[in-house]
Amino acid sequence: MSKRKVMVIDDEANFLELVKINLEHTGKYEVQTLMDARDALSRIKAFKPDVILLDILMPKTDGVEVCRSLNADPDANRIPIITLSALDTDKDKLMMYKLGVVDFLVKPIEISDLMNGVEKALRNKGLA
């Protein structure tokens, strides 16, 4: 079975490294990380991830803007997005669910919750 591709977009280098190491350690995932979301759409089109893990609060281009650009793109709008954020209000969660995210995980995130979220998103897409 080929590895599933996961794109992680977050402005915290330590967090990106932690997620990448933990996902790749399972042997099930190929992970690409991105700290600057400004070129997210072109990187997503090149990598073709099966699922995207996306922070909301980032400088320059935030997760909301990334979601909107993905929703508007016919090649990218079917990729499940899991939000990873320190924001934990019902208003923030509702806004992201309205933008089509499949899950909303609050930082700090337990690795088991992250793994479960990725597996669930892949199952729902028919890839797990």
Side-chain angles (χ1 to χ4, degrees):
M1 183 171 118
S2 65
K3 292 182 180 182
R4 297 295 169 212
K5 293 181 174 185
V6 179
M7 170 80 71
V8 188
I9 306 170
D10 196 297
D11 61 323
E12 297 176 36
N14 291 339
F15 181 77
L16 287 173
E17 188 64 21
L18 180 69
V19 171
K20 182 177 175 69
I21 288 169
N22 279 282
L23 286 174
E24 287 183 344
H25 181 72
T26 67
K28 296 195 255 181
Y29 305 105
E30 176 184 347
V31 180
Q32 191 171 101
T33 61
L34 185 58
M35 282 187 68
D36 186 344
R38 287 181 295 182
D39 63 343
L41 189 57
S42 63
R43 293 277 303 273
I44 288 165
K45 285 183 171 193
F47 183 60
K48 296 179 174 53
D50 296 302
V51 66
I52 298 169
L53 305 177
L54 177 65
D55 187 17
I56 296 175
L57 297 175
M58 294 183 286
K60 299 173 185 143
T61 303
D62 67 13
V64 174
E65 197 172 325
V66 171
C67 275
R68 287 186 177 129
S69 66
L70 292 174
N71 287 340
D73 188 279
D75 294 327
N77 65 11
R78 290 189 175 94
I79 303 169
I81 300 169
I82 298 172
T83 302
L84 312 171
S85 182
L87 299 175
D88 190 18
T89 68
D90 289 341
K91 178 182 172 188
D92 294 317
K93 291 176 183 178
L94 181 61
M95 172 184 62
M96 295 310 293
Y97 282 120
K98 282 184 177 180
L99 288 171
V101 302
V102 297
D103 206 349
F104 192 109
L105 301 176
V106 178
K107 292 179 181 178
I109 298 167
E110 293 291 327
I111 292 301
S112 60
D113 292 339
L114 179 70
M115 298 289 193
N116 289 336
V118 170
E119 287 294 321
K120 179 179 156 189
L122 292 170
R123 259 192 321 276
N124 290 344
K125 191 178 174 187
L127 294 174

